Amino acid sequence: MADQEDVPITVNGWMWLKPDGGAEAFAEYIATARPILEKHLGQEFVAEYWEPSATMGGDHLEPDIVAINHFPSEAAFMKAIEDPDYPTHLLEEATTRVEVVQIRKG
């Protein structure tokens, strides 16, 4: 198998938006983060944003948004989110809680 840092990854983010202004702040976060991600990935950043419709079994989690983001490698993902201009503050302003799971094909 290839070195783990060289294989594509998918990052799933579960986000709970603040009730007052969270959606607007999240939209600003996306608009600001996209060009930074594209700069580090060297390609168009493709993200999918979903609204959960149901949960089954286990803990009953109900995030407002589930983001599914694809990256060419873990190294590319880390470079992008460690960029000094990456708008972490906007994500913090938009959300009350964020859970992130990074997955790769085994």
Side-chain angles (χ1 to χ4, degrees):
M1 181 174 203
D3 183 337
Q4 290 294 322
E5 292 189 5
D6 292 334
V7 298
I9 64 168
T10 297
V11 177
N12 297 317
W14 289 33
M15 291 161 278
W16 288 258
L17 299 178
K18 290 182 179 174
D20 295 322
E24 293 81 9
F26 188 74
E28 185 180 352
Y29 160 74
I30 295 301
T32 306
R34 182 175 299 280
I36 294 165
L37 290 162
E38 290 178 348
K39 174 179 79 171
H40 289 284
L41 300 179
Q43 64 188 39
E44 180 182 0
F45 176 64
V46 177
E48 301 173 44
Y49 301 98
W50 299 73
E51 292 181 18
S53 59
T55 57
M56 295 175 234
D59 292 334
H60 193 67
L61 297 175
E62 292 185 5
D64 295 307
I65 297 173
V66 175
I68 303 170
N69 307 305
H70 306 285
F71 295 91
S73 67
E74 183 176 357
F77 169 67
M78 294 307 297
K79 261 189 184 175
I81 65 169
E82 291 173 351
D83 185 297
D85 294 326
Y86 189 79
T88 303
H89 67 286
L90 291 175
L91 185 59
E92 291 170 355
E93 289 174 21
T95 58
T96 59
R97 178 180 173 190
V98 176
E99 299 290 337
V100 177
V101 177
Q102 176 181 310
I103 59 175
R104 67 175 56 92
K105 212 171 198 178

